[in-house]
Amino acid sequence: GPRDACRRLPRFQIQAPTPMNIFAANKEKGKTFRPRRNHREGTKRYQLHKFAQATLGTGNLHEAVTLPAGEDPNEWLAVNTVDFFNEINLLYGVVAEFCTESTCPVMCAGSKYEYMWADGCKVKKPIAVSAPKYVDYLMTWVQEQLDNEELFPTQIGVPFPDNFPDAVRNIFRRLFRIYAHIYYSHFEKMSELGAEPHLNT
């Protein structure tokens, strides 16, 4: 049945056209599953984004996620939420053509972790969907959250809502499901395409 798809089964052997790093190529071309979200240059979020990118490359994960001295925790959460959305977007863009209704009929990360879709508004009762459909629903839902000025204000002086940390926690928890699915179901393909280091950072 569909749940059997979560077991490690041999995948189709598709050869990459060249042994290049397809993740870097996708990033360079701007190829993502969904349009990238960008921080506006000259804003505080853009400066925090640049700081986060610089510290992430050091290999010190603690330093990369620590709130910089004197900065607003909500701004830091907003920047990291957008950056994580963009990274998941890029990673899934690498395997999207291999993550199909037939190869991944269930959104899962192994036989113990099946993820059902519900957004609390349009879909109130959780439904079982394929991995690509779940990713599409989730990325659309996150994009709507990021575009919501009441939740993610972009104007200077507009405060974040009181529930902002909880909303960010929910976004990260859900985005991590895509990461877990990629890692469990498409790790070999990511390695073959030279994108494994980006999956492990």
Side-chain angles (χ1 to χ4, degrees), residues 34-97:
R34 291 239 170 234
R36 279 181 66 86
R37 296 270 312 175
N38 293 314
H39 304 284
R40 279 182 298 167
E41 283 193 50
T43 64
K44 185 59 144 176
R45 285 195 193 159
Y46 182 77
Q47 292 169 353
L48 287 171
H49 163 72
K50 287 299 184 188
F51 177 83
Q53 294 300 305
T55 56
L56 190 58
T58 66
N60 183 339
L61 190 56
H62 183 266
E63 183 183 338
V65 298
T66 301
L67 174 69
E71 297 298 344
D72 177 0
N74 287 332
E75 285 287 348
W76 185 239
L77 287 174
V79 165
N80 282 283
T81 303
V82 170
D83 288 351
F84 191 55
F85 172 80
N86 286 336
E87 288 302 312
I88 289 290
N89 202 358
L90 278 168
L91 287 171
Y92 190 73
V94 171
V95 297
E97 67 182 286

Side-chain angles (χ1 to χ4, degrees), residues 34-169:
R34 291 239 170 234
R36 279 181 66 86
R37 296 270 312 175
N38 293 314
H39 304 284
R40 279 182 298 167
E41 283 193 50
T43 64
K44 185 59 144 176
R45 285 195 193 159
Y46 182 77
Q47 292 169 353
L48 287 171
H49 163 72
K50 287 299 184 188
F51 177 83
Q53 294 300 305
T55 56
L56 190 58
T58 66
N60 183 339
L61 190 56
H62 183 266
E63 183 183 338
V65 298
T66 301
L67 174 69
E71 297 298 344
D72 177 0
N74 287 332
E75 285 287 348
W76 185 239
L77 287 174
V79 165
N80 282 283
T81 303
V82 170
D83 288 351
F84 191 55
F85 172 80
N86 286 336
E87 288 302 312
I88 289 290
N89 202 358
L90 278 168
L91 287 171
Y92 190 73
V94 171
V95 297
E97 67 182 286
F98 310 107
C99 184
T100 65
E101 300 279 333
S102 60
T103 61
C104 302
V106 173
M107 177 59 177
C108 63
S111 58
K112 292 183 182 180
Y113 300 99
E114 180 180 339
Y115 306 114
M116 298 178 76
W117 177 250
D119 61 11
C121 295
K122 297 173 191 161
V123 181
K124 293 183 192 259
K125 184 179 178 189
I127 56 173
V129 294
S130 67
K133 195 165 291 262
Y134 185 97
V135 171
D136 185 45
Y137 288 157
L138 178 55
M139 296 301 274
T140 299
W141 178 82
V142 173
Q143 184 75 55
E144 288 169 358
Q145 307 300 304
L146 298 177
D147 290 342
N148 181 347
E149 280 288 327
E150 291 179 12
L151 184 59
F152 280 82
T154 57
Q155 300 302 312
I156 295 172
V158 176
F160 287 88
D162 292 339
N163 70 333
F164 186 69
D166 291 333
V168 166
R169 193 174 295 115

Side-chain angles (χ1 to χ4, degrees), residues 21 23 91 179 187 190-191 193-201:
N21 183 333
F23 182 83
L91 287 171
Y179 182 87
F187 185 81
M190 293 293 281
S191 296
L193 296 173
E196 177 191 342
H198 301 281
L199 197 57
N200 287 317
T201 54

